[in-house]
Amino acid sequence: MPATRTAIACFGEALIDFLARPAKAAGEPRQFAEYAGGAPANVAVGVARLGGQARFIGMLSTDMFGDFLLSQFHGYGVDTAQVRHTDAARTALAFVSLGNDGERSFNFYRPPAADLLFQPQDFDGEAFADTAIFHVCSNSLTAPAIAGTTLHGMELAARAGALVSMDLNLRPSLWPADVDPTPTLWHALASAHLVKLSREEFVFLANGGDEDAVIARLFEGATQTAIVTDGPARIRWWTREASGSADTFPIDAVDTTAAGDAFVAGLLQRLTTHAITADTLSRAFADDATRDDLLRYAAAAGALATTRFGAFAALPTHGEVQSLIEGSKP
């Protein structure tokens, strides 16, 4: 891959998270604070916050929330040249409630939503000329049309030489009740060089069977490295030749909404720092020092994102990540 390829392009949904705040007094209603969010949008902003060359690709509504999202992208320095706009649908909304431990639950208002209307022809013909990594999540697989668009983008990116990354980020409530998402999920996973799952998603894919079979099936496709996170528990990783685990950072969480996306942003940004490509990904994970650097940086970014409320607003800077890493050394 040419040395000039440093862009991390994130494709999919951008939406509004309305974060529930407790009532100020008994008998008063809850209040909801507006935050910009959406998994791939969070990753794009996370990369920019860490000093990377971030790009968001997707469809925004021309409504007031779409305008807000666009202004947020610009404020964080995310390239929006490949954002498209529509007045045919509104911005998706997510109402988020938090438990005492910061764990979040979602109520989504989608579909219809603008992000589902991005079509294959909306990709710029030169979209991947400088792209080092193309990142997607499963929320752009929930309907046949947008699933086809997502798979097309993954194919275009891989053909252009980009490393294709997928964080499953499964939200079952976004899928039609009569649709089994599993075949579509596996179709996309088979096209990703780097796969990140949560422990719950790992269990879901195993479907009551052996988790080793999930890893084996991933490696039947394009996957070179798989990573499973589990909140504050140890990170698990696999390549075709080896496997292992890595530490996380103990931290007092207040909001876990963007933790996984911050982890991914940290990992992807660190991959570009090391100029790691799809062809060298397995070798990078085989090297103890490189792998430890990648996962420690990602884990620090993920941990820091739980210490603040919101999604975009919670994502850490490179300096904050480095401070946590340096402060944790014996």
Side-chain angles (χ1 to χ4, degrees), residues 84-122:
R84 307 296 181 242
H85 302 271
T86 182
D87 59 6
R90 299 301 185 187
T91 301
L93 308 178
F95 288 82
V96 187
S97 59
L98 300 176
N100 292 333
D101 59 355
E103 281 297 323
R104 72 280 188 269
S105 59
F106 297 96
N107 284 307
F108 290 100
Y109 288 75
R110 171 187 182 262
D115 63 277
L116 298 172
L117 301 183
F118 199 97
Q119 299 180 36
Q121 60 268 28
D122 290 322

Side-chain angles (χ1 to χ4, degrees), residues 73-94:
F73 281 133
H74 289 166
Y76 285 108
V78 175
D79 177 1
T80 61
Q82 294 179 51
V83 167
R84 307 296 181 242
H85 302 271
T86 182
D87 59 6
R90 299 301 185 187
T91 301
L93 308 178

